[in-house]
Amino acid sequence: MNIFSAFRDRVIAAVEGLQLETRDGGPLETARVNVEPPRDPSHGDIATNAAMVIAKQVGENPRALAEKIVSILDQDADIVETSIAGPGFVNLRISNEFWLNQLKLMADESAQYGRSNVGGGKKVNVEFVSANPTGPMHVGHCRGAVIGDTLANLMKFAGFDVVKEYYINDAGVQIDVLARSVMLRYREALGEAIGDMPEGLYPGDYLVPLGEALAEQYGETLKEKSEEDALAIIKDAAIDAMMKLIREDLAALNVHHDVFFSERTVHEDNATKIKAALNDLTLKGHVYRGTLPPPKGQLPEDWEDREQVLFRSTEVGDDIDRPLVKSDGSYTYFAADVAYFVDKFERGFEEMIFVLGADHGGYVKRMEALARAVSDDSVELTVLLCQLVKLLRNGEPVKMSKRAGQFVTLRDVVDEVGRDPVRFMMVYRKSSEPLDFDFAKVTEQSKDNPVFYVQYASARCYSVFRQAQEQIPGISADLELLHMLDDESEIALVRKLAEFPRIVEAAAMAQEPHRIAFYLYELANSFHGHWNKGNDNEHLRFVKVNNPQLTSARLGLVQGVLNVLRSGLEILGVDAPEEMR
RNA sequence: GGUCCCGUAGCUCAGUUGGAUAGAGCAUCAGAUUCCUAAUCUGAGGGUCGCAGGUUCAAUUCCUGCCGGGAUCACCA
């Protein structure tokens, strides 16, 4: 339960109980009423702007209206103190009993606490990674993979019906290049000297094992076939092998897609699916034959003014109409995209989310245009552009040379620093913000490393349970004794925990998974802070050998902290360790 | 040149969809730590929220225009 929306209901009920008359006689507009934790804790536990929002509608002074609202809220047993501040804020202080009841839920509901139904079962497709199957994933795919996976987890947790999807770009020239590269590796495996990989082919060593496998399976027989037939066989094998590599890379990052959609399937059977999709678009009047205006600025040397089949995307918000058929009669990449989008639409998704790198910003408008045209504006299309990651080693940028086939793979990074630090750091930043990723910093075992700091909080919770067992054998958390928690520092920790459902809902609605990571950091901070108070004040320590009941109550608090940490970390796909090693 | 993203403390970044005195971490400075709950702790200083207008009770947040940084502008996929 999100207690802030619960109290929002109470505030609105209080306002409605006043039987106010609006100046224009219409209904009271309460949509802009906010109930939230105040920035400054001294203002209370909960603050609302209700009086300020309503005042104008009913022609009253905000503070005077606040007085009236407060007079009703004062009767609420869970509210122990009310005050009016500033231009008309109403501040509420909530009883300890209420907070401890919340704690009981957190400790009791375990993995359920914080789940929400704000998503209302809305069908959402999150497409992310979609790396070309021409080699292992490189580090540039990392952020999008983590953000997409985390966003999908988050939205599921908040009550959306989410499908994680990967679009396999297994059609087109880059796959032909792949097949030709593998062909060379195959001949190499049969003992031919191939020398350096010719310019334009994929030089990476990762194709060598595939060449060897093909040599073993087919012997010399592929060389005896026509080049066309041989390449067709190799192409299938290559795509399978590359996707296997990619799936392994994804698994290493704890990323798991529900659906892998192959671009080839829309080209199959003489491109039936593309034809059907384009036909659909044509019937809706979005397709025509015409010429494109030449690009502004400098004219490309090979520019030819030519009539072609175009998607009239400018009518649905795009900057320029988009070609659907190439001069050789084959379909453009975008035409396949149309078919793919239609497929998603027919699968009933109400919202399509695309997690893309910032370098794909130019696609956003045509995708939006496509969504409008295909669905008659009935589906929502959201593009999350993630800014690039700058890899650093000891503060120095890591050099990568794509030409020489030397790039840092995703696996390199995961193997070196571990998947938890990678995942956490990739979402510990707003996705629209560039990100520095320093190998040394993310593996550092200190308070300065947020991954460690949050995971250590989890380990510390487990450690408390272990210590309690050692000192008071047989002890466990007792949620019936939570009323024994009465220290302000303990209640403050509960208040922090109670923010979790609200953070989940807000992060899911805003599609900003980084908020979960930041919240977990704050929670860890509160927890460690409370722990540290036990240094000076022995009374505040969790385990009190001479007071098993109080210890049981405090174990309940630790359980609450641990449950929220676990839920949050699970959204991030990060482990909540029982100990740090 | 068009489009998109960004501009907040010395640095790296949050900022609860428009709220109160703009917050963390690092760095800096000043203290603490024979106590084992120290893979440290407490506190302090530090700001024209890029600039200028506009919208309103209220703008870091929304709109417009500039300035600065980045990405992208193919019949490629």
Side-chain angles (χ1 to χ4, degrees):
Chain A
M1 179 183 63
N2 177 345
I3 62 136
F4 296 95
S5 50
F7 272 97
R8 183 172 184 274
D9 292 344
R10 298 192 198 185
V11 167
I12 287 175
V15 169
E16 282 169 350
L18 291 172
Q19 308 272 331
L20 299 164
E21 300 231 347
T22 56
R23 288 199 290 193
D24 59 7
L28 207 56
E29 180 56 61
T30 56
R32 291 180 56 235
V33 172
N34 287 333
V35 172
E36 49 193 24
R39 287 212 173 109
D40 186 342
S42 71
H43 290 145
D45 298 334
I46 288 180
T48 178
N49 64 353
M52 290 179 291
V53 171
I54 304 290
K56 199 174 181 183
Q57 298 180 56
V58 298
E60 275 206 55
N61 174 301
R63 288 193 66 110
L65 182 56
E67 297 279 0
K68 293 184 185 172
I69 295 173
V70 158
S71 70
I72 293 190
L73 291 176
D74 273 331
Q75 296 161 27
D76 190 319
D78 293 325
I79 298 172
V80 292
E81 192 186 318
T82 54
S83 61
I84 298 165
F89 286 101
V90 173
N91 294 326
L92 310 175
R93 196 168 291 284
I94 308 303
S95 72
N96 282 8
E97 289 69 31
F98 181 87
W99 290 120
L100 293 173
N101 256 332
Q102 288 300 305
L103 175 57
K104 197 170 173 185
L105 293 178
M106 297 163 201
D108 226 7
E109 289 185 335
S110 180
Q112 295 308 310
Y113 182 77
R115 280 189 190 275
S116 161
N117 59 2
V118 281
K122 185 177 181 182
K123 286 195 72 174
V124 179
N125 183 288
V126 183
E127 184 192 324
F128 58 106
V129 185
S130 298
N132 288 347
T134 56
M137 290 175 64
H138 59 82
V139 69
H141 296 118
C142 212
R143 192 175 187 189
V146 174
I147 286 176
D149 194 56
T150 303
L151 175 63
N153 293 345
L154 169 63
M155 292 181 77
K156 271 185 202 172
F157 199 72
F160 290 86
D161 182 3
V162 184
V163 166
K164 300 179 184 175
E165 190 146 330
Y166 186 120
Y167 183 52
I168 309 172
N169 293 133
D170 50 6
V173 296
Q174 89 282 4
I175 294 296
D176 296 331
V177 171
L178 173 72
R180 291 211 309 280
S181 309
V182 173
M183 180 62 145
L184 271 184
R185 291 300 184 192
Y186 160 73
R187 283 162 47 192
E188 181 183 46
L190 290 173
E192 253 179 73
I194 60 163
D196 287 340
M197 268 282 170
E199 191 74 16
L201 297 190
Y202 297 111
D205 291 340
Y206 57 87
L207 294 178
V208 173
L210 179 55
E212 289 164 354
L214 287 168
E216 186 157 329
Q217 186 180 353
Y218 291 97
E220 304 272 339
T221 58
L222 289 184
K223 284 163 82 171
E224 290 148 14
K225 292 184 187 296
S226 72
E227 188 180 33
E228 195 182 336
D229 288 349
L231 282 176
I233 291 171
I234 287 179
K235 190 189 280 188
D236 286 348
I239 291 170
D240 285 352
M242 293 304 106
M243 283 312 295
K244 185 162 177 287
L245 270 186
I246 287 173
R247 283 173 198 254
E248 285 166 4
D249 286 348
L250 289 169
L253 239 198
N254 199 19
V255 171
H256 305 279
H257 288 85
D258 302 307
V259 174
F260 287 81
F261 187 97
S262 160
E263 182 188 355
R264 287 172 118 194
T265 59
V266 302
H267 291 281
E268 275 169 5
D269 300 325
N270 203 16
T272 314
K273 285 192 132 175
I274 294 181
K275 282 177 180 159
L278 293 189
N279 198 37
D280 213 45
L281 267 193
T282 308
L283 288 176
K284 287 180 176 167
H286 295 294
V287 179
Y288 71 106
R289 288 191 65 87
T291 55
L292 284 177
K296 302 219 161 49
Q298 79 243 32
L299 205 61
E301 284 162 27
D302 55 350
W303 175 260
E304 53 178 310
D305 196 25
R306 194 173 52 74
E307 196 182 66
Q308 50 192 333
V309 180
L310 297 168
F311 168 39
R312 201 189 300 275
S313 53
T314 47
E315 231 167 52
V316 272
D318 203 357
D319 299 323
I320 191 166
D321 290 341
R322 304 291 171 180
L324 295 166
V325 182
K326 296 190 220 172
S327 55
D328 66 0
S330 65
Y331 293 103
T332 60
Y333 179 82
F334 187 70
D337 252 4
V338 175
Y340 178 36
F341 190 89
V342 168
D343 185 273
K344 277 184 183 169
F345 180 60
E346 286 172 348
R347 277 185 276 154
F349 294 108
E350 297 163 81
E351 179 172 7
M352 326 282 187
I353 299 176
F354 296 82
V355 180
L356 301 175
D359 52 339
H360 290 70
Y363 298 135
V364 176
K365 286 201 173 178
R366 81 192 68 167
M367 293 304 290
E368 286 169 347
L370 177 55
R372 285 195 198 100
V374 168
S375 76
D376 293 319
D377 218 1
S378 67
V379 306
E380 237 175 296
L381 184 138
T382 315
V383 178
L384 235 59
L385 287 181
C386 334
Q387 291 297 316
L388 306 179
V389 177
K390 200 201 296 178
L391 278 187
L392 301 171
R393 199 178 282 282
N394 305 319
E396 292 295 312
V398 176
K399 293 192 188 86
M400 279 186 272
S401 160
K402 207 169 185 179
R403 228 180 0 187
Q406 288 177 338
F407 47 83
V408 178
T409 64
L410 178 143
R411 192 57 81 87
D412 291 337
V413 177
V414 173
D415 287 350
E416 180 169 342
V417 308
R419 86 180 191 205
D420 286 347
V422 173
R423 285 198 65 123
F424 194 95
M425 293 313 290
M426 288 293 162
V427 291
Y428 195 60
R429 189 113 316 174
K430 207 163 34 177
S431 58
S432 54
E433 199 79 30
L435 170 69
D436 288 351
F437 186 92
D438 194 311
F439 282 94
K441 280 189 187 160
V442 300
T443 49
E444 190 177 286
Q445 302 245 318
S446 84
K447 177 186 181 303
D448 302 342
N449 179 357
V451 192
F452 173 81
Y453 193 64
V454 172
Q455 287 193 312
Y456 185 42
S458 159
R460 192 167 252 177
C461 287
Y462 282 104
S463 162
V464 172
F465 286 122
R466 285 193 298 266
Q467 283 181 42
Q469 267 318 314
E470 269 175 40
Q471 297 178 36
I472 313 174
I475 194 158
S476 63
D478 188 339
L479 304 186
E480 299 309 314
L481 295 174
L482 291 179
H483 59 270
M484 295 180 76
L485 303 176
D486 58 355
D487 191 85
E488 171 51 28
S489 176
E490 292 169 328
I491 303 298
L493 191 48
V494 176
R495 279 197 291 262
K496 192 73 203 170
L497 291 169
E499 285 178 27
F500 181 57
R502 179 169 179 275
I503 298 284
V504 166
E505 290 181 357
M509 296 309 285
Q511 304 177 337
E512 293 187 346
H514 73 278
R515 294 194 197 187
I516 302 296
F518 279 94
Y519 168 75
L520 290 177
Y521 182 84
E522 286 173 20
L523 174 58
N525 187 251
S526 299
F527 179 62
H528 290 312
H530 180 62
W531 171 278
N532 288 328
K533 282 190 180 142
N535 276 329
D536 300 329
N537 183 355
E538 206 166 318
H539 173 67
L540 288 178
R541 299 184 180 189
F542 290 110
V543 181
K544 306 296 293 176
V545 184
N546 54 3
N547 194 340
Q549 289 204 320
L550 184 58
T551 303
S552 284
R554 287 181 175 171
L555 290 182
L557 176 57
V558 176
Q559 189 65 56
V561 172
L562 181 57
N563 286 348
V564 171
L565 281 172
R566 283 211 305 228
S567 295
L569 285 171
E570 190 171 331
I571 290 170
L572 302 188
V574 172
D575 192 36
E578 297 189 21
E579 57 184 338
M580 303 300 282
R581 274 188 289 240

